[in-house]
Amino acid sequence: MSRIALTLAAIAMTAGATPALAKGCLKGAAIGGVAGHYVGKGHAVAGAVAGCWYGHHRAAKAAKAQRAQARAHR
């Protein structure tokens, strides 16, 4: 369980340094870390990394769609 806490703390420090790049990462990492913890020993970190990537991917996709919609309504 302490590996999850350390991973989330590292991600939180990174997110504080680059908030624009980390959008969606913290939520995804938290969910991925918990899911990886329940999958098996040692998978929490891999789950957090994958969750961070997926959360950032979804946030970027949503921001792109929002920008496209804003351009269409001009």
Side-chain angles (χ1 to χ4, degrees):
M1 198 67 138
S2 64
R3 291 181 77 181
I4 293 172
L6 289 174
T7 302
L8 292 176
I11 291 170
M13 287 189 293
T14 302
T18 57
L21 297 175
K23 195 163 214 152
C25 181
L26 292 177
K27 183 177 178 182
I31 294 168
V34 171
H37 173 73
Y38 284 108
V39 167
K41 186 174 182 172
H43 290 90
V45 175
V49 170
C52 176
W53 173 82
Y54 184 70
H56 177 70
H57 172 73
R58 295 241 344 202
K61 190 174 179 181
K64 185 178 179 181
Q66 187 176 19
R67 285 191 306 269
Q69 186 178 16
R71 277 189 229 122
H73 288 326
R74 285 186 188 180

